[in-house]
Amino acid sequence: MSLPHAILTALLEKPSSGLELTRRFDKSIGFFWPATHQQIYRELGRLEEAALIRALPGPPARGRRREYEVLDAGRAALRDWVAASEDPRPVREPLMLRLRAAAVVGSEGLAEELRRHRQLHAERLAAYRDIEARDFPDPAGAPEGVRLQHAILAAGIGMEEFWIGWLTGVLGTLGED
Amino acid sequence: MSLPHAILTALLEKPSSGLELTRRFDKSIGFFWPATHQQIYRELGRLEEAALIRALPGPPARGRRREYEVLDAGRAALRDWVAASEDPRPVREPLMLRLRAAAVVGSEGLAEELRRHRQLHAERLAAYRDIEARDFPDPAGAPEGVRLQHAILAAGIGMEEFWIGWLTGVLGTLGED
DNA sequence: GGGGACATGTAACGGGTTACATGATTCG
DNA sequence: CGAATCATGTAACCCGTTACATGTCCCC
């Protein structure tokens, strides 16, 4: 049930149309919960159906922009979700499977792929660091909302750093560095 | 395309029936790619169809145990997969969304949930450490296959440690420790 | 008025999840 | 024989993905 709540959050930050939401996802929320426009339209329909959001006036028409805003019930639902009890999702990490497969059938060709992944993680880490420098000059002194947003970014940075270090270690294990 | 390769790996380690695979997943591969028995049976059917595995003799019959083994084509497919180019999956982390929601509607009730998650991660970390102590007394001196398996476990340990530290930091930010 | 960007929407598919159904084997 | 357990299988649903379709607006 993450996507609908992600959309409610985004709409509270700023009422938007489906396409705007899609674009905003691409450059912020989407780092931790990507979504395509098809998913977003589908979910907007359900949220409207459930009376958690509403479209600003004007007749619904295909091809015409529709802007949505969050209703009180939607805000309440989001507040509930913040405090809800929801277990972490199971980890699904194909690289681990590939290492295990390599332990059985040999690791030929694996090192190159690991280096490629390390490079991808390094790029994303750099992007996060840019955002941090730009948007969070003084996280410690900021109000709670900003500190929370910085904590999200810090998690992203920490995870990328972790993967880079781990991949480097595995490459060492393979004698490949 | 991860599950079929996970199954090939497991079957190479030891030919098994569907239910045995399910149980073995639960205590090893499943830490990084969980699967239910329904998924596994479905995939075994497809792998057999594709002639990557075969059932050991005997007529197929509902309710009767069927053991599978990997064919040469299956081993080759797995070797290819080890070296294949496959991007990391997109990150999907509901906790990040909840933090972002909390930044908008307030963080009431969040701290308790964060502590609960930290506890869950601590438990999993302890389980990984047990496995490490039991199965990898001397990873550095072991052959490549074992070193790779240890690297997998090390990733699990590192991730759990990371989450525990990060959650503790966020709780500090909320003034909750 | 025609092309391109903007915007919403439809359809089909695949993997993961849940609930349930059915057949075989064992053991008291 | 009956219950419990082992084992395989069916069905329905949801979410995410991909490809495609349709409508509107603006500007040259």
Side-chain angles (χ1 to χ4, degrees):
Chain A
M1 298 281 71
S2 291
L3 181 56
H5 296 104
I7 290 176
L8 287 174
T9 303
L11 285 181
L12 279 173
E13 289 171 352
K14 176 171 165 16
S16 303
S17 67
L19 199 55
E20 276 173 6
L21 279 178
T22 305
R23 294 199 175 117
R24 290 173 53 203
F25 261 67
D26 284 346
K27 63 177 99 147
S28 61
I29 296 183
F31 287 131
F32 298 103
W33 203 276
T36 62
H37 79 270
Q38 292 89 337
Q39 279 178 278
I40 286 173
Y41 284 121
R42 188 199 274 168
E43 211 58 55
L44 283 171
R46 288 176 189 165
L47 287 166
E48 189 178 20
E49 179 78 15
L52 300 183
I53 64 175
R54 69 161 184 181
L56 299 185
R62 189 179 183 125
R64 294 269 304 274
R65 175 189 157 86
R66 300 189 69 198
E67 185 148 317
Y68 291 91
E69 67 176 7
V70 178
L71 298 173
D72 285 350
R75 182 181 283 267
L78 192 59
R79 248 195 303 258
D80 287 348
W81 187 63
V82 166
S85 182
E86 204 173 274
D87 284 351
R89 338 172 62 220
V91 177
R92 288 186 191 277
E93 196 44 74
L95 260 195
M96 303 299 161
L97 302 186
R98 289 214 262 180
L99 256 65
R100 183 148 185 167
V104 175
V105 299
S107 61
E108 197 184 351
L110 179 61
E112 187 180 355
E113 176 70 353
L114 296 182
R115 275 190 291 266
R116 196 175 71 84
H117 278 237
R118 185 171 56 176
Q119 175 64 23
L120 291 171
H121 286 293
E123 285 164 14
R124 177 160 276 212
L125 174 58
Y128 286 160
R129 287 230 167 96
D130 282 352
I131 296 174
E132 187 182 35
R134 173 161 44 84
D135 295 348
F136 301 97
D138 176 26
E144 180 179 282
V146 176
R147 294 204 310 275
L148 284 173
Q149 291 192 25
H150 180 255
I152 298 170
L153 190 57
I157 289 174
M159 289 195 313
E160 299 305 332
E161 287 175 339
F162 168 73
W163 283 118
I164 292 169
W166 179 80
L167 285 164
T168 299
V170 178
L171 282 163
T173 274
L174 293 175
E176 289 268 354
D177 253 344
Chain B
M1 297 281 73
S2 291
L3 181 55
H5 296 103
I7 290 176
L8 287 174
T9 303
L11 286 181
L12 279 172
E13 289 171 352
K14 176 170 167 15
S16 303
S17 67
L19 198 56
E20 276 172 7
L21 279 178
T22 304
R23 295 197 175 119
R24 289 174 52 203
F25 262 65
D26 284 345
K27 62 176 100 149
S28 60
I29 295 183
F31 287 130
F32 299 102
W33 203 274
T36 62
H37 78 269
Q38 293 89 336
Q39 281 178 277
I40 286 172
Y41 284 121
R42 187 201 272 166
E43 211 58 57
L44 283 171
R46 287 176 190 165
L47 288 166
E48 188 178 21
E49 180 78 16
L52 300 183
I53 63 174
R54 69 162 184 181
L56 298 186
R62 189 180 183 123
R64 293 270 305 271
R65 176 189 156 86
R66 299 189 69 197
E67 185 148 317
Y68 291 90
E69 67 176 9
V70 179
L71 297 173
D72 285 351
R75 182 182 285 268
L78 192 59
R79 249 194 303 259
D80 288 348
W81 187 63
V82 166
S85 183
E86 202 173 275
D87 284 350
R89 339 173 60 219
V91 176
R92 287 186 193 280
E93 195 46 72
L95 261 195
M96 303 299 161
L97 302 187
R98 289 213 262 179
L99 256 64
R100 183 147 186 168
V104 175
V105 298
S107 61
E108 197 186 349
L110 179 61
E112 188 181 355
E113 176 70 354
L114 296 181
R115 276 191 291 266
R116 196 177 70 85
H117 278 238
R118 185 172 56 177
Q119 176 63 22
L120 290 171
H121 286 294
E123 285 165 14
R124 178 162 275 211
L125 174 59
Y128 286 160
R129 287 232 166 95
D130 282 352
I131 296 174
E132 188 182 34
R134 171 161 44 84
D135 295 349
F136 300 97
D138 177 26
E144 180 178 283
V146 175
R147 293 204 310 275
L148 284 172
Q149 291 193 24
H150 180 256
I152 298 169
L153 190 57
I157 289 173
M159 289 195 313
E160 299 305 333
E161 287 175 339
F162 169 73
W163 283 117
I164 292 169
W166 180 80
L167 285 164
T168 298
V170 178
L171 282 164
T173 273
L174 293 175
E176 289 269 355
D177 252 343

